[in-house]
């Protein structure tokens, strides 16, 4: 152990003996020796342990011409956008389908936004797909089909490319020694340097980026950045981190705090009845970390105290009345379903949905929703069911969680007979589709659950308008015949 490393451990012990982990800004600095060790040890671990099942993770030869590097940049760009807020296992299939449909940036640029949204449907955070599409159009139109080869221009010129994505593409593809900071990297650095501060505060953010910039090597920066992210995803996980297998644990302040606190515990440091062998009297002088107001216990030294946990606001509750309108034309034709397109901005922008009415209050009754839905269908879709034979049924509800909303969709099914052929709308955002077309449309995940609910009900229940032979129904399922929306039989 060299003198600087020994001095670092003494600093950690003094920090612990303050009883409140008091320290100064100097506590988070990285020495030249630590930079050399993390670069060597992390890259060595990564090259031996990296996952090989990611289709976007390919070898790169920087002797390639600009066109070949541009293609790799496109592939990495797509993968990095998909991986935002989404797990690798989920992204793999989406990425493969995307690249099959849009193998180059040119195919994406000339694609229809409907096709883009269809391929993205179910991946969440749908504005990402539109930004990819818009970015591709700009690259093809203004940049000769080639993404910029440096982080600064990537961030300034490409819609939707932020600091992280720019750093990832520039370092992985073009070998620029520029940092990346995402949730995994924040967790690794927060523990490695024992940073107990709100990761979203401006000062904390800049500290994470500063440390990441200091440690990224000039040689192999792309692999190093991927190694940091891989370490956070597989070893330095939010819960139950595998510190024993961590390649950078020797310089990890959180890990060393835990080890030293355990050693001090053996000598009675945390036992109020035992005289302390040493009591440090220092003040908290860190301008980034929260000052702890009370003495902390032995259990508080777990590595998982980092990064600082910020209390999240619970998602707000919202409810929505969803009407699956099925139109039966004849026995020889497929039923048609009514869908409409959401606005091009806001939540679930540009996706298709069943007629959906946001409810002003929670916990509404079915009879109330029927009346409101009938008025809504008449006003927006010119649909009335007087003098028609219809079947109308409450199918229950499905719940979908967004990052900030807990959405309850109350699903109603209306089946009615209409022999007048296709009904057309002047509004291109409203159309009738077959069930096959419906399933291939870009529909939000929450409403895909509604389709499954309808299909499950149809397998066990025959309606007056069904073309199926009668099947045995569960004693717990009852259907209602309704001549019009004025004569509703409650379940």
């Amino acid at each position: 152990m060299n003198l600087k490393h020994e001095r670092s451990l003494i600093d950690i012990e003094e920090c612990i003996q303050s009883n409140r982990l008091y320290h100064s800004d100097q506590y988070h600095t990285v020495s030249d020796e630590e930079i050399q060790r993390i670069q060597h040890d992390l890259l060595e671990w990564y090259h031996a342990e990296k996952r090989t099942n990611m289709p976007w993770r390919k070898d790169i030869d920087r002797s390639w011409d600009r066109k070949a590097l541009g293609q790799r940049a496109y592939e990495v760009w797509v993968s990095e956008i998909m991986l935002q807020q989404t797990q690798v296992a989920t992204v793999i299939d989406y990425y493969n389908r995307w690249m099959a449909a849009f193998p180059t940036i040119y195919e994406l640029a000339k694609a229809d936004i409907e096709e883009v949204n269809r391929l993205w449907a179910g991946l969440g955070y749908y504005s990402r797909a539109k930004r990819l599409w818009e970015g591709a159009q700009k690259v093809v139109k203004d940049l000769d089909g080639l993404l910029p080869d440096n982080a600064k221009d990537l961030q300034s010129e490409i819609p939707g490319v932020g600091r992280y994505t720019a750093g990832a593409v520039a370092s992985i593809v073009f070998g620029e020694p520029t940092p990346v900071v995402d949730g995994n990297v924040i967790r690794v650095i927060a523990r490695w340097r024992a940073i107990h501060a709100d990761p979203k505060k401006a000062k904390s953010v800049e500290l994470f980026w500063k440390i990441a910039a200091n440690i990224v090597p000039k040689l192999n920066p792309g692999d190093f950045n991927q190694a940091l992210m891989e370490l956070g995803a597989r070893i330095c996980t939010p819960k139950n981190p595998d510190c024993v297998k961590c390649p950078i644990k020797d310089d990890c302040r959180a890990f060393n705090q835990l080890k030293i606190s355990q050693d001090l515990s053996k000598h009675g440091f945390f036992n109020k009845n035992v005289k302390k062998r040493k009591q440090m009297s220092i003040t908290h002088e860190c301008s980034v970390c929260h000052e702890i107001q009370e003495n902390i216990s032995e259990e508080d030294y777990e590595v998982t105290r980092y990064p600082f946990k910020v209390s999240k606001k619970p998602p707000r509750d919202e409810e929505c009345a969803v009407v699956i309108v099925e139109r039966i034309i004849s026995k020889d034709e497929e039923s048609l379903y009514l869908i409409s397109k959401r606005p091009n901005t806001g939540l679930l922008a540009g996706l298709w949905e069943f007629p959906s009415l946001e409810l002003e209050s929670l916990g509404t009754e079915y009879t109330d929703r029927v009346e409101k839905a009938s008025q809504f269908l008449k006003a927006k879709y010119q649909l009335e069911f007087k003098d028609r034979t219809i079947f109308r049924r409450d199918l229950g509800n499905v719940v979908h969680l967004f990052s900030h909303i807990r959405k309850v969709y109350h699903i109603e099914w209306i089946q009615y007979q209409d022999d007048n052929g296709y009904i057309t709308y002047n509004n291109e955002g409203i159309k009738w589709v077959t069930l096959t077309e419906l399933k291939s449309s870009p529909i939000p995940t929450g409403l895909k659950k509604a389709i499954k609910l309808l299909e499950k009900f149809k397998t066990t229940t025959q309606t007056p308008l069904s073309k199926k032979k009668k099947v045995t129904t569960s004693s717990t399922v009852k259907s209602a015949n309704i001549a019009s929306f004025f004569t509703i039989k409650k379940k």
Side-chain angles (χ1 to χ4, degrees):
M1 182 184 296
N2 61 41
L3 291 176
K4 287 188 176 180
H5 188 58
E6 185 176 357
R7 178 65 245 179
S8 175
L9 295 179
I10 293 173
D11 290 343
I12 293 173
E13 183 170 347
E14 290 178 351
C15 177
I16 293 171
Q17 288 180 342
S18 71
N19 284 302
R20 300 183 183 185
L21 288 176
Y22 284 171
H23 58 274
S24 67
D25 288 351
Q26 192 70 20
Y27 195 63
H28 307 306
T29 58
V30 186
S31 69
D32 292 341
E33 290 81 0
E34 287 175 318
I35 291 175
Q36 292 174 9
R37 282 196 293 271
I38 192 173
Q39 289 175 352
H40 174 272
D41 295 346
L42 191 55
L43 280 170
E44 185 177 61
W45 171 82
Y46 177 72
H47 290 147
E49 301 292 338
K50 67 180 179 181
R51 289 172 287 183
T52 58
N53 65 328
M54 303 179 191
W56 53 85
R57 186 173 277 177
K58 303 175 183 177
D59 291 334
I60 296 175
D61 185 342
R62 295 201 173 82
S63 66
W64 290 347
D65 61 26
R66 186 66 177 84
K67 185 177 180 181
L69 287 173
Q71 175 63 23
R72 284 296 294 122
Y74 166 66
E75 295 165 2
V76 173
W77 175 41
V78 170
S79 70
E80 290 298 339
I81 296 298
M82 285 187 170
L83 286 165
Q84 293 172 10
Q85 307 293 325
T86 312
Q87 294 182 347
V88 168
T90 301
V91 167
I92 290 174
D93 286 342
Y94 279 91
Y95 176 84
N96 287 333
R97 287 194 294 268
W98 182 281
M99 296 310 299
F102 313 126
T104 72
I105 201 167
Y106 293 96
E107 276 82 11
L108 176 57
K110 67 184 180 183
D112 184 86
I113 188 61
E114 289 291 303
E115 176 67 5
V116 171
N117 283 336
R118 185 186 69 79
L119 285 171
W120 197 275
L123 197 56
Y125 300 92
Y126 294 92
S127 60
R128 295 181 295 171
K130 185 178 181 182
R131 288 199 296 267
L132 270 172
W133 178 66
E134 292 173 340
Q137 290 181 321
K138 179 171 183 180
V139 171
V140 169
K141 180 182 177 183
D142 300 337
L143 302 175
D144 198 26
L146 298 173
L147 285 160
D149 62 359
N150 62 87
K152 181 180 178 181
D153 290 342
L154 279 163
Q155 189 174 351
S156 63
E157 295 187 28
I158 309 303
V161 171
R163 194 174 180 181
Y164 162 77
T165 304
V169 175
S171 63
I172 294 170
V173 180
F174 300 108
E176 182 181 4
T178 188
V180 297
V181 173
D182 69 349
N184 285 321
V185 174
I186 286 174
R187 186 166 55 257
V188 170
I189 293 178
R191 291 172 179 171
W192 191 59
R193 295 295 89 183
I195 301 170
H196 199 247
D198 185 344
K200 295 185 178 180
K201 295 291 184 182
K203 200 162 188 176
S204 306
V205 170
E206 286 310 307
L207 178 58
F208 286 120
W209 278 97
K210 180 181 178 181
I211 293 174
N214 286 341
I215 62 178
V216 65
K218 291 182 179 180
L219 295 176
N220 231 344
D223 277 5
F224 181 83
N225 285 336
Q226 290 181 91
L228 268 179
M229 293 184 281
E230 184 104 343
L231 187 70
R234 297 174 57 196
I235 302 294
C236 195
T237 51
K239 297 179 180 179
N240 303 314
D242 195 353
C243 295
V244 174
K245 293 183 179 179
C246 179
I248 62 172
K249 62 179 179 295
D250 288 348
D251 289 320
C252 177
R253 289 196 175 274
F255 181 67
N256 281 307
Q257 282 178 180
L258 175 61
K259 287 204 307 180
I260 293 173
S261 69
Q262 290 171 340
D263 181 62
L264 291 173
S265 177
K266 294 176 183 177
H267 295 83
F269 181 78
F270 297 100
N271 189 337
K272 295 180 180 180
N273 298 320
V274 176
K275 184 179 179 180
K276 309 297 186 293
R277 65 175 182 176
K278 186 178 180 182
Q279 194 74 37
M280 298 300 299
S281 179
I282 62 175
T283 58
H284 186 70
E285 298 177 351
C286 181
S287 62
V288 178
C289 294
H290 293 267
E291 180 176 353
I292 300 173
Q293 301 298 323
E294 298 178 351
N295 291 353
I296 60 178
S297 65
E298 183 178 359
E299 292 75 21
D300 293 325
Y301 287 90
E302 291 295 333
V303 170
T304 50
R305 73 176 282 108
Y306 304 98
F308 180 79
K309 310 301 188 295
V310 181
S311 298
K312 293 182 179 180
K313 292 183 179 179
R316 67 177 184 270
D317 289 325
E318 290 186 1
E319 296 191 10
C320 180
V322 176
V323 187
I324 302 176
V325 181
E326 180 185 0
R327 180 165 158 254
I328 298 175
I329 299 173
S330 71
K331 293 182 179 180
D332 300 323
E333 295 186 54
E334 286 189 71
S335 295
L336 299 176
Y337 296 86
L338 181 62
I339 58 174
S340 58
K341 193 174 184 180
R342 290 183 61 84
N344 290 324
T345 58
L347 187 68
L348 306 175
L351 300 187
W352 290 82
E353 64 182 1
F354 298 113
S356 302
L357 176 64
E358 298 296 330
L359 300 172
E360 296 178 356
S361 57
L362 306 179
T364 57
E365 295 292 330
Y366 175 52
T367 51
D368 294 331
R369 294 195 299 272
V370 164
E371 184 176 353
K372 291 178 180 178
S374 296
Q375 295 170 355
F376 175 65
L377 290 171
K378 179 180 178 181
K380 183 171 181 177
Y381 303 95
Q382 295 80 54
L383 274 180
E384 289 189 87
F385 302 113
K386 290 181 180 180
D387 303 321
R388 294 182 188 271
T389 300
I390 74 168
F391 171 83
R392 194 163 189 164
R393 176 66 182 252
D394 179 13
L395 298 183
N397 63 63
V398 295
V399 179
H400 188 71
L401 294 177
F402 297 92
S403 59
H404 57 297
I405 300 171
R406 179 182 180 274
K407 194 88 166 184
V408 177
Y409 295 102
H410 296 284
I411 312 301
E412 183 185 14
W413 175 28
I414 295 179
Q415 188 184 60
Y416 79 102
Q417 181 82 37
D418 189 330
D419 301 325
N420 295 325
Y422 278 85
I423 297 176
T424 58
Y425 290 94
N426 293 327
N427 186 345
E428 292 183 357
I430 302 175
K431 62 183 179 180
W432 293 90
V433 295
T434 64
L435 183 60
T436 301
E437 292 169 335
L438 175 64
K439 289 182 175 181
S440 65
S441 298
I443 287 180
T445 302
L447 294 185
K448 287 184 177 180
K449 297 176 184 178
I451 297 175
K452 292 182 179 179
L453 196 65
L454 174 65
E455 290 182 318
K456 181 179 179 180
F457 187 83
K458 279 190 167 188
T459 60
T460 59
T461 305
Q462 180 182 354
T463 75
L465 299 175
S466 296
K467 290 177 280 186
K468 295 181 179 180
K469 295 181 180 180
K470 188 171 183 179
V471 297
T472 304
T473 61
S474 170
S475 60
T476 59
V477 179
K478 297 180 180 180
S479 59
N481 285 310
I482 304 170
S484 74
F485 74 90
F486 292 110
T487 57
I488 299 168
K489 184 176 180 180
K490 297 182 182 178
K491 296 193 293 181

